[in-house]
Amino acid sequence: MELRQASSLDLDGGTPLHGGTELVPLIRSGIVRPDTLVDIRGVVPRGIDGSTIGAGTTLAELECDPQIPDALREACRLAASPQLRNVGSVGGNLLQSTRCWYWRLKWPCRLHGGDECFALEGEHREHAIFENGFCASAHPSDVAAALVALGATLHTNRRELPVAELYRVPTDDDRRVTTLEPGELLLSIEVPPADRSIYLKAMERKRWAFPLVGVAAARTGGETRVALAGVAPIPWLLEGSLEDATPLPRNAYKVDIATALVKRAVTALATV
Ligand SMILES: Cc1cc2nc3c(=O)[nH]c(=O)nc-3n(C[C@H](O)[C@H](O)[C@H](O)COP(=O)(O)OP(=O)(O)OC[C@H]3O[C@@H](n4cnc5c(N)ncnc54)[C@H](O)[C@@H]3O)c2cc1C
Ligand code: SF4
C-alpha cells in the first residue's frame, strides 16, 4: 500500500486519510483495502471561524471553543476518549462506519454485500429502532446528530448540502450509507446560530462509549429540531413520534431511553 501527501483536492483515486482513528483499524482488520492512502491534512481546512468549521478540525478543538453551539460542543466532549478527540477530525467523524459487531467481524451481511442481516435474528441490543428492516445498524456519531439538529450545511469540493443529506438508508439495490461520491472531500461545515441547544447521551458507561441513544435538540426562533444518534442506520431527524419506532425483540429499551431524553432536552430548551 502506498502512502502519499495530498498536494491538491484531487486525490487521483486515493483513499483520504485524516487522523486515521477510524480508517487505520478498518485497514488492519482487512475491511478496507486501499491501494493508495492520501494524507489530506495539508489540504482540508482546520479551525473555527465564527459559524464555519474546517472539516479537519479536531473534536478536542470543537469541544472547548465558545463559538460552538452547546449541542455540538457537548456531543464532541462526550465522544470517544481525550486521546482520540485530539486526533480525530470532525470530517472523519461524520464518515465513520457502523459499530455493528457482525460487520466489524466481517460476517457476510447485507452491508458487506451479502443476503442476510445477522443482527435481526441475532444480537441486536445496541442496534436500530427505526428503519431497521434491511440493515439494523445504529449510526454511532454523536457529532452528526448534533449537526443535523442544528441544521448545519456541508461544503465539499463538489457541492453544498445539508448534513442530513450526507446520509442514506441502505437498500437492496444500493448498500451505501452515505451519498459521498468517489473523490469527494468534506471541506467545511456551516453551523447556523441557534438560540439554544443541548446534547444528552445515554451510554453503557459514563465515559468513552458510543451512544446507546444520543439526543440533540436545537431551538431557533419558535422552532425546535431534534435529532438522535444510535437509533437508526443514519443520524435520525425526529419528524414524527418516537411511538413510530419499530424496535427489535431485545432493544425496545432504547425507545424508553429516547423518550426520556427527548423530553428532558425539550424541557431544558423551553425553560430558558
Ligand atoms: C474507540 C473509539 C471510540 C469512539 N467513540 C465515539 C463516540 O462515542 N462518539 C462519536 O461520535 N464518535 C466516536 N468515535 C469516532 C471518532 O470520533 C472518529 O474515529 C474520528 O473522529 C475520525 O476522524 P479521523 O480524522 O481519525 O478520520 P479517519 O480515520 O482519518 O477517516 C475516517 C473516514 O473518513 C474519511 N475521511 C476523513 N476525512 C475526510 C474528508 N475531509 N473528506 C472525505 N473523507 C474523509 C476517510 O477516508 C475514512 O473513510 C470513536 C472512535 C474510536 C476509535
Ligand atoms: S445490522 Fe447492518 S451491518 Fe449489522 S449485520 Fe445487519 S446488515 Fe450487517
Side-chain angles (χ1 to χ4, degrees), residues 16 18-23 79-80 84 89 92-93 95-96 141-142 186 201 208-210:
H18 204 280
T21 59
E22 162 76 353
L23 187 54
L84 287 161
S89 62
N93 179 288
L95 293 171
Q96 62 182 293
S141 172
D142 296 298
L186 306 186
K201 177 174 179 179
W208 194 4
F210 286 94

mmCIF file with all atom_site columns, all heavy atoms in Angstrom, residues 16 18-23 79-80 84 89 92-93 95-96 141-142 186 201 208-210, ligand 1:
data_model
loop_
_atom_site.group_PDB
_atom_site.id
_atom_site.type_symbol
_atom_site.label_atom_id
_atom_site.label_alt_id
_atom_site.label_comp_id
_atom_site.label_asym_id
_atom_site.label_entity_id
_atom_site.label_seq_id
_atom_site.pdbx_PDB_ins_code
_atom_site.Cartn_x
_atom_site.Cartn_y
_atom_site.Cartn_z
_atom_site.occupancy
_atom_site.B_iso_or_equiv
_atom_site.pdbx_formal_charge
_atom_site.auth_seq_id
_atom_site.auth_comp_id
_atom_site.auth_asym_id
_atom_site.auth_atom_id
_atom_site.pdbx_PDB_model_num
ATOM   1   N N   . PRO A 1 16  ? -8.799  8.994  1.166  1.00 0.00 ? 16  PRO A N   1
ATOM   2   C CA  . PRO A 1 16  ? -8.387  10.039 2.104  1.00 0.00 ? 16  PRO A CA  1
ATOM   3   C C   . PRO A 1 16  ? -8.151  9.514  3.515  1.00 0.00 ? 16  PRO A C   1
ATOM   4   O O   . PRO A 1 16  ? -8.922  8.711  4.036  1.00 0.00 ? 16  PRO A O   1
ATOM   5   C CB  . PRO A 1 16  ? -9.552  11.035 2.077  1.00 0.00 ? 16  PRO A CB  1
ATOM   6   C CG  . PRO A 1 16  ? -10.696 10.340 1.436  1.00 0.00 ? 16  PRO A CG  1
ATOM   7   C CD  . PRO A 1 16  ? -10.159 9.208  0.638  1.00 0.00 ? 16  PRO A CD  1
ATOM   8   N N   . HIS A 1 18  ? -7.270  11.114 7.338  1.00 0.00 ? 18  HIS A N   1
ATOM   9   C CA  . HIS A 1 18  ? -7.042  12.315 8.169  1.00 0.00 ? 18  HIS A CA  1
ATOM   10  C C   . HIS A 1 18  ? -6.369  11.857 9.453  1.00 0.00 ? 18  HIS A C   1
ATOM   11  O O   . HIS A 1 18  ? -5.185  11.525 9.449  1.00 0.00 ? 18  HIS A O   1
ATOM   12  C CB  . HIS A 1 18  ? -8.350  13.093 8.392  1.00 0.00 ? 18  HIS A CB  1
ATOM   13  C CG  . HIS A 1 18  ? -8.077  14.527 8.687  1.00 0.00 ? 18  HIS A CG  1
ATOM   14  N ND1 . HIS A 1 18  ? -7.690  14.967 9.925  1.00 0.00 ? 18  HIS A ND1 1
ATOM   15  C CD2 . HIS A 1 18  ? -8.092  15.629 7.896  1.00 0.00 ? 18  HIS A CD2 1
ATOM   16  C CE1 . HIS A 1 18  ? -7.461  16.277 9.877  1.00 0.00 ? 18  HIS A CE1 1
ATOM   17  N NE2 . HIS A 1 18  ? -7.711  16.707 8.654  1.00 0.00 ? 18  HIS A NE2 1
ATOM   18  N N   . GLY A 1 19  ? -7.086  11.779 10.575 1.00 0.00 ? 19  GLY A N   1
ATOM   19  C CA  . GLY A 1 19  ? -6.443  11.337 11.819 1.00 0.00 ? 19  GLY A CA  1
ATOM   20  C C   . GLY A 1 19  ? -6.160  9.839  11.840 1.00 0.00 ? 19  GLY A C   1
ATOM   21  O O   . GLY A 1 19  ? -5.318  9.370  12.603 1.00 0.00 ? 19  GLY A O   1
ATOM   22  N N   . GLY A 1 20  ? -6.905  9.079  11.049 1.00 0.00 ? 20  GLY A N   1
ATOM   23  C CA  . GLY A 1 20  ? -6.689  7.631  10.968 1.00 0.00 ? 20  GLY A CA  1
ATOM   24  C C   . GLY A 1 20  ? -7.311  6.825  12.097 1.00 0.00 ? 20  GLY A C   1
ATOM   25  O O   . GLY A 1 20  ? -7.188  5.606  12.133 1.00 0.00 ? 20  GLY A O   1
ATOM   26  N N   . THR A 1 21  ? -8.028  7.468  13.019 1.00 0.00 ? 21  THR A N   1
ATOM   27  C CA  . THR A 1 21  ? -8.562  6.727  14.172 1.00 0.00 ? 21  THR A CA  1
ATOM   28  C C   . THR A 1 21  ? -9.638  5.727  13.769 1.00 0.00 ? 21  THR A C   1
ATOM   29  O O   . THR A 1 21  ? -9.856  4.735  14.452 1.00 0.00 ? 21  THR A O   1
ATOM   30  C CB  . THR A 1 21  ? -9.155  7.695  15.220 1.00 0.00 ? 21  THR A CB  1
ATOM   31  O OG1 . THR A 1 21  ? -10.201 8.453  14.599 1.00 0.00 ? 21  THR A OG1 1
ATOM   32  C CG2 . THR A 1 21  ? -8.102  8.634  15.774 1.00 0.00 ? 21  THR A CG2 1
ATOM   33  N N   . GLU A 1 22  ? -10.294 5.992  12.646 1.00 0.00 ? 22  GLU A N   1
ATOM   34  C CA  . GLU A 1 22  ? -11.323 5.079  12.137 1.00 0.00 ? 22  GLU A CA  1
ATOM   35  C C   . GLU A 1 22  ? -10.755 4.226  11.002 1.00 0.00 ? 22  GLU A C   1
ATOM   36  O O   . GLU A 1 22  ? -10.912 3.012  10.978 1.00 0.00 ? 22  GLU A O   1
ATOM   37  C CB  . GLU A 1 22  ? -12.523 5.913  11.644 1.00 0.00 ? 22  GLU A CB  1
ATOM   38  C CG  . GLU A 1 22  ? -13.480 5.205  10.709 1.00 0.00 ? 22  GLU A CG  1
ATOM   39  C CD  . GLU A 1 22  ? -14.400 4.235  11.421 1.00 0.00 ? 22  GLU A CD  1
ATOM   40  O OE1 . GLU A 1 22  ? -14.218 4.004  12.640 1.00 0.00 ? 22  GLU A OE1 1
ATOM   41  O OE2 . GLU A 1 22  ? -15.279 3.682  10.753 1.00 0.00 ? 22  GLU A OE2 1
ATOM   42  N N   . LEU A 1 23  ? -10.045 4.886  10.096 1.00 0.00 ? 23  LEU A N   1
ATOM   43  C CA  . LEU A 1 23  ? -9.600  4.183  8.884  1.00 0.00 ? 23  LEU A CA  1
ATOM   44  C C   . LEU A 1 23  ? -8.518  3.138  9.179  1.00 0.00 ? 23  LEU A C   1
ATOM   45  O O   . LEU A 1 23  ? -8.562  2.029  8.631  1.00 0.00 ? 23  LEU A O   1
ATOM   46  C CB  . LEU A 1 23  ? -9.089  5.216  7.865  1.00 0.00 ? 23  LEU A CB  1
ATOM   47  C CG  . LEU A 1 23  ? -8.739  4.686  6.476  1.00 0.00 ? 23  LEU A CG  1
ATOM   48  C CD1 . LEU A 1 23  ? -9.894  3.907  5.863  1.00 0.00 ? 23  LEU A CD1 1
ATOM   49  C CD2 . LEU A 1 23  ? -8.334  5.831  5.559  1.00 0.00 ? 23  LEU A CD2 1
ATOM   50  N N   . ALA A 1 79  ? -17.815 12.256 23.208 1.00 0.00 ? 79  ALA A N   1
ATOM   51  C CA  . ALA A 1 79  ? -17.418 11.228 22.240 1.00 0.00 ? 79  ALA A CA  1
ATOM   52  C C   . ALA A 1 79  ? -16.043 10.657 22.593 1.00 0.00 ? 79  ALA A C   1
ATOM   53  O O   . ALA A 1 79  ? -15.159 11.369 23.073 1.00 0.00 ? 79  ALA A O   1
ATOM   54  C CB  . ALA A 1 79  ? -17.378 11.817 20.831 1.00 0.00 ? 79  ALA A CB  1
ATOM   55  N N   . ALA A 1 80  ? -15.888 9.377  22.342 1.00 0.00 ? 80  ALA A N   1
ATOM   56  C CA  . ALA A 1 80  ? -14.569 8.719  22.380 1.00 0.00 ? 80  ALA A CA  1
ATOM   57  C C   . ALA A 1 80  ? -13.771 9.055  23.651 1.00 0.00 ? 80  ALA A C   1
ATOM   58  O O   . ALA A 1 80  ? -14.344 9.222  24.722 1.00 0.00 ? 80  ALA A O   1
ATOM   59  C CB  . ALA A 1 80  ? -13.795 9.077  21.118 1.00 0.00 ? 80  ALA A CB  1
ATOM   60  N N   . LEU A 1 84  ? -8.339  10.225 21.484 1.00 0.00 ? 84  LEU A N   1
ATOM   61  C CA  . LEU A 1 84  ? -8.968  10.126 20.157 1.00 0.00 ? 84  LEU A CA  1
ATOM   62  C C   . LEU A 1 84  ? -9.504  11.476 19.706 1.00 0.00 ? 84  LEU A C   1
ATOM   63  O O   . LEU A 1 84  ? -9.419  11.836 18.531 1.00 0.00 ? 84  LEU A O   1
ATOM   64  C CB  . LEU A 1 84  ? -10.109 9.098  20.196 1.00 0.00 ? 84  LEU A CB  1
ATOM   65  C CG  . LEU A 1 84  ? -9.660  7.643  20.270 1.00 0.00 ? 84  LEU A CG  1
ATOM   66  C CD1 . LEU A 1 84  ? -10.796 6.756  20.765 1.00 0.00 ? 84  LEU A CD1 1
ATOM   67  C CD2 . LEU A 1 84  ? -9.184  7.169  18.908 1.00 0.00 ? 84  LEU A CD2 1
ATOM   68  N N   . SER A 1 89  ? -10.803 13.995 13.425 1.00 0.00 ? 89  SER A N   1
ATOM   69  C CA  . SER A 1 89  ? -11.381 15.204 12.822 1.00 0.00 ? 89  SER A CA  1
ATOM   70  C C   . SER A 1 89  ? -12.899 15.090 12.777 1.00 0.00 ? 89  SER A C   1
ATOM   71  O O   . SER A 1 89  ? -13.472 13.989 12.795 1.00 0.00 ? 89  SER A O   1
ATOM   72  C CB  . SER A 1 89  ? -10.837 15.374 11.407 1.00 0.00 ? 89  SER A CB  1
ATOM   73  O OG  . SER A 1 89  ? -11.224 14.264 10.611 1.00 0.00 ? 89  SER A OG  1
ATOM   74  N N   . GLY A 1 92  ? -13.862 13.203 9.553  1.00 0.00 ? 92  GLY A N   1
ATOM   75  C CA  . GLY A 1 92  ? -13.733 11.750 9.718  1.00 0.00 ? 92  GLY A CA  1
ATOM   76  C C   . GLY A 1 92  ? -14.826 11.192 10.611 1.00 0.00 ? 92  GLY A C   1
ATOM   77  O O   . GLY A 1 92  ? -15.335 10.092 10.387 1.00 0.00 ? 92  GLY A O   1
ATOM   78  N N   . ASN A 1 93  ? -15.221 11.964 11.604 1.00 0.00 ? 93  ASN A N   1
ATOM   79  C CA  . ASN A 1 93  ? -16.293 11.513 12.492 1.00 0.00 ? 93  ASN A CA  1
ATOM   80  C C   . ASN A 1 93  ? -17.591 11.321 11.717 1.00 0.00 ? 93  ASN A C   1
ATOM   81  O O   . ASN A 1 93  ? -18.304 10.330 11.912 1.00 0.00 ? 93  ASN A O   1
ATOM   82  C CB  . ASN A 1 93  ? -16.499 12.526 13.632 1.00 0.00 ? 93  ASN A CB  1
ATOM   83  C CG  . ASN A 1 93  ? -17.618 12.114 14.562 1.00 0.00 ? 93  ASN A CG  1
ATOM   84  O OD1 . ASN A 1 93  ? -18.782 12.191 14.192 1.00 0.00 ? 93  ASN A OD1 1
ATOM   85  N ND2 . ASN A 1 93  ? -17.270 11.658 15.753 1.00 0.00 ? 93  ASN A ND2 1
ATOM   86  N N   . LEU A 1 95  ? -17.947 10.501 8.768  1.00 0.00 ? 95  LEU A N   1
ATOM   87  C CA  . LEU A 1 95  ? -17.853 9.403  7.796  1.00 0.00 ? 95  LEU A CA  1
ATOM   88  C C   . LEU A 1 95  ? -17.471 8.082  8.448  1.00 0.00 ? 95  LEU A C   1
ATOM   89  O O   . LEU A 1 95  ? -17.096 7.134  7.764  1.00 0.00 ? 95  LEU A O   1
ATOM   90  C CB  . LEU A 1 95  ? -16.847 9.780  6.707  1.00 0.00 ? 95  LEU A CB  1
ATOM   91  C CG  . LEU A 1 95  ? -17.316 10.943 5.826  1.00 0.00 ? 95  LEU A CG  1
ATOM   92  C CD1 . LEU A 1 95  ? -16.199 11.427 4.919  1.00 0.00 ? 95  LEU A CD1 1
ATOM   93  C CD2 . LEU A 1 95  ? -18.540 10.533 5.002  1.00 0.00 ? 95  LEU A CD2 1
ATOM   94  N N   . GLN A 1 96  ? -17.564 8.003  9.764  1.00 0.00 ? 96  GLN A N   1
ATOM   95  C CA  . GLN A 1 96  ? -17.212 6.736  10.418 1.00 0.00 ? 96  GLN A CA  1
ATOM   96  C C   . GLN A 1 96  ? -18.228 5.658  10.047 1.00 0.00 ? 96  GLN A C   1
ATOM   97  O O   . GLN A 1 96  ? -19.388 5.939  9.767  1.00 0.00 ? 96  GLN A O   1
ATOM   98  C CB  . GLN A 1 96  ? -17.147 6.906  11.935 1.00 0.00 ? 96  GLN A CB  1
ATOM   99  C CG  . GLN A 1 96  ? -18.450 7.306  12.599 1.00 0.00 ? 96  GLN A CG  1
ATOM   100 C CD  . GLN A 1 96  ? -18.283 7.503  14.100 1.00 0.00 ? 96  GLN A CD  1
ATOM   101 O OE1 . GLN A 1 96  ? -18.023 6.564  14.821 1.00 0.00 ? 96  GLN A OE1 1
ATOM   102 N NE2 . GLN A 1 96  ? -18.451 8.733  14.557 1.00 0.00 ? 96  GLN A NE2 1
ATOM   103 N N   . SER A 1 141 ? -22.487 8.286  15.357 1.00 0.00 ? 141 SER A N   1
ATOM   104 C CA  . SER A 1 141 ? -21.890 9.619  15.525 1.00 0.00 ? 141 SER A CA  1
ATOM   105 C C   . SER A 1 141 ? -22.747 10.560 16.362 1.00 0.00 ? 141 SER A C   1
ATOM   106 O O   . SER A 1 141 ? -23.834 10.977 15.943 1.00 0.00 ? 141 SER A O   1
ATOM   107 C CB  . SER A 1 141 ? -21.629 10.257 14.156 1.00 0.00 ? 141 SER A CB  1
ATOM   108 O OG  . SER A 1 141 ? -21.231 11.600 14.329 1.00 0.00 ? 141 SER A OG  1
ATOM   109 N N   . ASP A 1 142 ? -22.220 10.915 17.535 1.00 0.00 ? 142 ASP A N   1
ATOM   110 C CA  . ASP A 1 142 ? -22.860 11.955 18.355 1.00 0.00 ? 142 ASP A CA  1
ATOM   111 C C   . ASP A 1 142 ? -22.843 13.275 17.600 1.00 0.00 ? 142 ASP A C   1
ATOM   112 O O   . ASP A 1 142 ? -23.796 14.058 17.635 1.00 0.00 ? 142 ASP A O   1
ATOM   113 C CB  . ASP A 1 142 ? -22.069 12.139 19.660 1.00 0.00 ? 142 ASP A CB  1
ATOM   114 C CG  . ASP A 1 142 ? -22.081 10.900 20.535 1.00 0.00 ? 142 ASP A CG  1
ATOM   115 O OD1 . ASP A 1 142 ? -23.162 10.496 20.969 1.00 0.00 ? 142 ASP A OD1 1
ATOM   116 O OD2 . ASP A 1 142 ? -20.992 10.344 20.786 1.00 0.00 ? 142 ASP A OD2 1
ATOM   117 N N   . LEU A 1 186 ? -14.918 16.297 2.154  1.00 0.00 ? 186 LEU A N   1
ATOM   118 C CA  . LEU A 1 186 ? -15.586 17.256 3.035  1.00 0.00 ? 186 LEU A CA  1
ATOM   119 C C   . LEU A 1 186 ? -14.578 18.363 3.344  1.00 0.00 ? 186 LEU A C   1
ATOM   120 O O   . LEU A 1 186 ? -13.443 18.071 3.752  1.00 0.00 ? 186 LEU A O   1
ATOM   121 C CB  . LEU A 1 186 ? -16.019 16.596 4.354  1.00 0.00 ? 186 LEU A CB  1
ATOM   122 C CG  . LEU A 1 186 ? -16.890 15.343 4.255  1.00 0.00 ? 186 LEU A CG  1
ATOM   123 C CD1 . LEU A 1 186 ? -17.337 14.913 5.656  1.00 0.00 ? 186 LEU A CD1 1
ATOM   124 C CD2 . LEU A 1 186 ? -18.092 15.585 3.370  1.00 0.00 ? 186 LEU A CD2 1
ATOM   125 N N   . LYS A 1 201 ? -26.735 12.194 26.263 1.00 0.00 ? 201 LYS A N   1
ATOM   126 C CA  . LYS A 1 201 ? -26.265 10.906 25.734 1.00 0.00 ? 201 LYS A CA  1
ATOM   127 C C   . LYS A 1 201 ? -26.392 9.809  26.788 1.00 0.00 ? 201 LYS A C   1
ATOM   128 O O   . LYS A 1 201 ? -25.920 9.983  27.923 1.00 0.00 ? 201 LYS A O   1
ATOM   129 C CB  . LYS A 1 201 ? -24.799 11.070 25.316 1.00 0.00 ? 201 LYS A CB  1
ATOM   130 C CG  . LYS A 1 201 ? -24.123 9.799  24.797 1.00 0.00 ? 201 LYS A CG  1
ATOM   131 C CD  . LYS A 1 201 ? -22.726 10.120 24.280 1.00 0.00 ? 201 LYS A CD  1
ATOM   132 C CE  . LYS A 1 201 ? -22.004 8.885  23.783 1.00 0.00 ? 201 LYS A CE  1
ATOM   133 N NZ  . LYS A 1 201 ? -20.665 9.186  23.250 1.00 0.00 ? 201 LYS A NZ  1
ATOM   134 N N   . TRP A 1 208 ? -16.208 7.310  27.342 1.00 0.00 ? 208 TRP A N   1
ATOM   135 C CA  . TRP A 1 208 ? -15.612 6.529  26.290 1.00 0.00 ? 208 TRP A CA  1
ATOM   136 C C   . TRP A 1 208 ? -16.514 5.375  25.823 1.00 0.00 ? 208 TRP A C   1
ATOM   137 O O   . TRP A 1 208 ? -16.128 4.220  25.859 1.00 0.00 ? 208 TRP A O   1
ATOM   138 C CB  . TRP A 1 208 ? -14.237 6.005  26.744 1.00 0.00 ? 208 TRP A CB  1
ATOM   139 C CG  . TRP A 1 208 ? -13.423 5.487  25.601 1.00 0.00 ? 208 TRP A CG  1
ATOM   140 C CD1 . TRP A 1 208 ? -13.755 5.528  24.285 1.00 0.00 ? 208 TRP A CD1 1
ATOM   141 C CD2 . TRP A 1 208 ? -12.159 4.839  25.663 1.00 0.00 ? 208 TRP A CD2 1
ATOM   142 N NE1 . TRP A 1 208 ? -12.774 4.961  23.528 1.00 0.00 ? 208 TRP A NE1 1
ATOM   143 C CE2 . TRP A 1 208 ? -11.778 4.530  24.345 1.00 0.00 ? 208 TRP A CE2 1
ATOM   144 C CE3 . TRP A 1 208 ? -11.306 4.510  26.702 1.00 0.00 ? 208 TRP A CE3 1
ATOM   145 C CZ2 . TRP A 1 208 ? -10.594 3.889  24.039 1.00 0.00 ? 208 TRP A CZ2 1
ATOM   146 C CZ3 . TRP A 1 208 ? -10.124 3.862  26.395 1.00 0.00 ? 208 TRP A CZ3 1
ATOM   147 C CH2 . TRP A 1 208 ? -9.774  3.566  25.085 1.00 0.00 ? 208 TRP A CH2 1
ATOM   148 N N   . ALA A 1 209 ? -17.699 5.736  25.414 1.00 0.00 ? 209 ALA A N   1
ATOM   149 C CA  . ALA A 1 209 ? -18.602 4.728  24.861 1.00 0.00 ? 209 ALA A CA  1
ATOM   150 C C   . ALA A 1 209 ? -19.432 5.380  23.760 1.00 0.00 ? 209 ALA A C   1
ATOM   151 O O   . ALA A 1 209 ? -19.735 6.570  23.824 1.00 0.00 ? 209 ALA A O   1
ATOM   152 C CB  . ALA A 1 209 ? -19.504 4.170  25.949 1.00 0.00 ? 209 ALA A CB  1
ATOM   153 N N   . PHE A 1 210 ? -19.764 4.575  22.764 1.00 0.00 ? 210 PHE A N   1
ATOM   154 C CA  . PHE A 1 210 ? -20.635 5.071  21.705 1.00 0.00 ? 210 PHE A CA  1
ATOM   155 C C   . PHE A 1 210 ? -22.042 5.257  22.277 1.00 0.00 ? 210 PHE A C   1
ATOM   156 O O   . PHE A 1 210 ? -22.382 4.668  23.297 1.00 0.00 ? 210 PHE A O   1
ATOM   157 C CB  . PHE A 1 210 ? -20.653 4.058  20.552 1.00 0.00 ? 210 PHE A CB  1
ATOM   158 C CG  . PHE A 1 210 ? -19.374 4.089  19.764 1.00 0.00 ? 210 PHE A CG  1
ATOM   159 C CD1 . PHE A 1 210 ? -18.339 3.209  20.061 1.00 0.00 ? 210 PHE A CD1 1
ATOM   160 C CD2 . PHE A 1 210 ? -19.199 5.011  18.746 1.00 0.00 ? 210 PHE A CD2 1
ATOM   161 C CE1 . PHE A 1 210 ? -17.150 3.251  19.351 1.00 0.00 ? 210 PHE A CE1 1
ATOM   162 C CE2 . PHE A 1 210 ? -18.016 5.064  18.030 1.00 0.00 ? 210 PHE A CE2 1
ATOM   163 C CZ  . PHE A 1 210 ? -16.992 4.182  18.327 1.00 0.00 ? 210 PHE A CZ  1
HETATM 164 C C1  . LIG B 2 .   ? -12.565 3.653  20.326 1.00 0.00 ? 1   LIG B C1  1
HETATM 165 C C2  . LIG B 2 .   ? -13.354 4.721  19.628 1.00 0.00 ? 1   LIG B C2  1
HETATM 166 C C3  . LIG B 2 .   ? -14.420 5.319  20.276 1.00 0.00 ? 1   LIG B C3  1
HETATM 167 C C4  . LIG B 2 .   ? -15.160 6.311  19.639 1.00 0.00 ? 1   LIG B C4  1
HETATM 168 N N1  . LIG B 2 .   ? -16.263 6.847  20.269 1.00 0.00 ? 1   LIG B N1  1
HETATM 169 C C5  . LIG B 2 .   ? -17.049 7.745  19.600 1.00 0.00 ? 1   LIG B C5  1
HETATM 170 C C6  . LIG B 2 .   ? -18.228 8.265  20.222 1.00 0.00 ? 1   LIG B C6  1
HETATM 171 O O1  . LIG B 2 .   ? -18.567 7.953  21.358 1.00 0.00 ? 1   LIG B O1  1
HETATM 172 N N2  . LIG B 2 .   ? -18.985 9.131  19.505 1.00 0.00 ? 1   LIG B N2  1
HETATM 173 C C7  . LIG B 2 .   ? -18.642 9.540  18.234 1.00 0.00 ? 1   LIG B C7  1
HETATM 174 O O2  . LIG B 2 .   ? -19.344 10.350 17.642 1.00 0.00 ? 1   LIG B O2  1
HETATM 175 N N3  . LIG B 2 .   ? -17.531 9.047  17.636 1.00 0.00 ? 1   LIG B N3  1
HETATM 176 C C8  . LIG B 2 .   ? -16.729 8.184  18.288 1.00 0.00 ? 1   LIG B C8  1
HETATM 177 N N4  . LIG B 2 .   ? -15.601 7.681  17.681 1.00 0.00 ? 1   LIG B N4  1
HETATM 178 C C9  . LIG B 2 .   ? -15.304 8.084  16.302 1.00 0.00 ? 1   LIG B C9  1
HETATM 179 C C10 . LIG B 2 .   ? -14.194 9.126  16.225 1.00 0.00 ? 1   LIG B C10 1
HETATM 180 O O3  . LIG B 2 .   ? -14.698 10.391 16.563 1.00 0.00 ? 1   LIG B O3  1
HETATM 181 C C11 . LIG B 2 .   ? -13.706 9.082  14.784 1.00 0.00 ? 1   LIG B C11 1
HETATM 182 O O4  . LIG B 2 .   ? -12.938 7.882  14.661 1.00 0.00 ? 1   LIG B O4  1
HETATM 183 C C12 . LIG B 2 .   ? -12.844 10.250 14.366 1.00 0.00 ? 1   LIG B C12 1
HETATM 184 O O5  . LIG B 2 .   ? -13.473 11.498 14.542 1.00 0.00 ? 1   LIG B O5  1
HETATM 185 C C13 . LIG B 2 .   ? -12.496 10.060 12.876 1.00 0.00 ? 1   LIG B C13 1
HETATM 186 O O6  . LIG B 2 .   ? -11.675 11.130 12.465 1.00 0.00 ? 1   LIG B O6  1
HETATM 187 P P1  . LIG B 2 .   ? -10.288 10.823 11.749 1.00 0.00 ? 1   LIG B P1  1
HETATM 188 O O7  . LIG B 2 .   ? -9.754  12.151 11.358 1.00 0.00 ? 1   LIG B O7  1
HETATM 189 O O8  . LIG B 2 .   ? -9.415  9.961  12.611 1.00 0.00 ? 1   LIG B O8  1
HETATM 190 O O9  . LIG B 2 .   ? -10.820 10.019 10.483 1.00 0.00 ? 1   LIG B O9  1
HETATM 191 P P2  . LIG B 2 .   ? -10.028 8.961  9.579  1.00 0.00 ? 1   LIG B P2  1
HETATM 192 O O10 . LIG B 2 .   ? -9.901  7.661  10.309 1.00 0.00 ? 1   LIG B O10 1
HETATM 193 O O11 . LIG B 2 .   ? -8.800  9.551  9.005  1.00 0.00 ? 1   LIG B O11 1
HETATM 194 O O12 . LIG B 2 .   ? -11.102 8.812  8.404  1.00 0.00 ? 1   LIG B O12 1
HETATM 195 C C14 . LIG B 2 .   ? -12.375 8.229  8.645  1.00 0.00 ? 1   LIG B C14 1
HETATM 196 C C15 . LIG B 2 .   ? -13.103 8.079  7.314  1.00 0.00 ? 1   LIG B C15 1
HETATM 197 O O13 . LIG B 2 .   ? -13.443 9.348  6.777  1.00 0.00 ? 1   LIG B O13 1
HETATM 198 C C16 . LIG B 2 .   ? -12.783 9.565  5.517  1.00 0.00 ? 1   LIG B C16 1
HETATM 199 N N5  . LIG B 2 .   ? -12.382 10.971 5.567  1.00 0.00 ? 1   LIG B N5  1
HETATM 200 C C17 . LIG B 2 .   ? -11.731 11.601 6.585  1.00 0.00 ? 1   LIG B C17 1
HETATM 201 N N6  . LIG B 2 .   ? -11.698 12.937 6.378  1.00 0.00 ? 1   LIG B N6  1
HETATM 202 C C18 . LIG B 2 .   ? -12.364 13.134 5.189  1.00 0.00 ? 1   LIG B C18 1
HETATM 203 C C19 . LIG B 2 .   ? -12.679 14.322 4.441  1.00 0.00 ? 1   LIG B C19 1
HETATM 204 N N7  . LIG B 2 .   ? -12.359 15.550 4.855  1.00 0.00 ? 1   LIG B N7  1
HETATM 205 N N8  . LIG B 2 .   ? -13.356 14.170 3.267  1.00 0.00 ? 1   LIG B N8  1
HETATM 206 C C20 . LIG B 2 .   ? -13.704 12.929 2.829  1.00 0.00 ? 1   LIG B C20 1
HETATM 207 N N9  . LIG B 2 .   ? -13.442 11.789 3.505  1.00 0.00 ? 1   LIG B N9  1
HETATM 208 C C21 . LIG B 2 .   ? -12.774 11.908 4.680  1.00 0.00 ? 1   LIG B C21 1
HETATM 209 C C22 . LIG B 2 .   ? -11.656 8.552  5.454  1.00 0.00 ? 1   LIG B C22 1
HETATM 210 O O14 . LIG B 2 .   ? -11.352 8.178  4.127  1.00 0.00 ? 1   LIG B O14 1
HETATM 211 C C23 . LIG B 2 .   ? -12.279 7.407  6.244  1.00 0.00 ? 1   LIG B C23 1
HETATM 212 O O15 . LIG B 2 .   ? -13.154 6.676  5.422  1.00 0.00 ? 1   LIG B O15 1
HETATM 213 C C24 . LIG B 2 .   ? -14.817 6.723  18.316 1.00 0.00 ? 1   LIG B C24 1
HETATM 214 C C25 . LIG B 2 .   ? -13.715 6.146  17.675 1.00 0.00 ? 1   LIG B C25 1
HETATM 215 C C26 . LIG B 2 .   ? -12.996 5.141  18.306 1.00 0.00 ? 1   LIG B C26 1
HETATM 216 C C27 . LIG B 2 .   ? -11.839 4.521  17.575 1.00 0.00 ? 1   LIG B C27 1
#
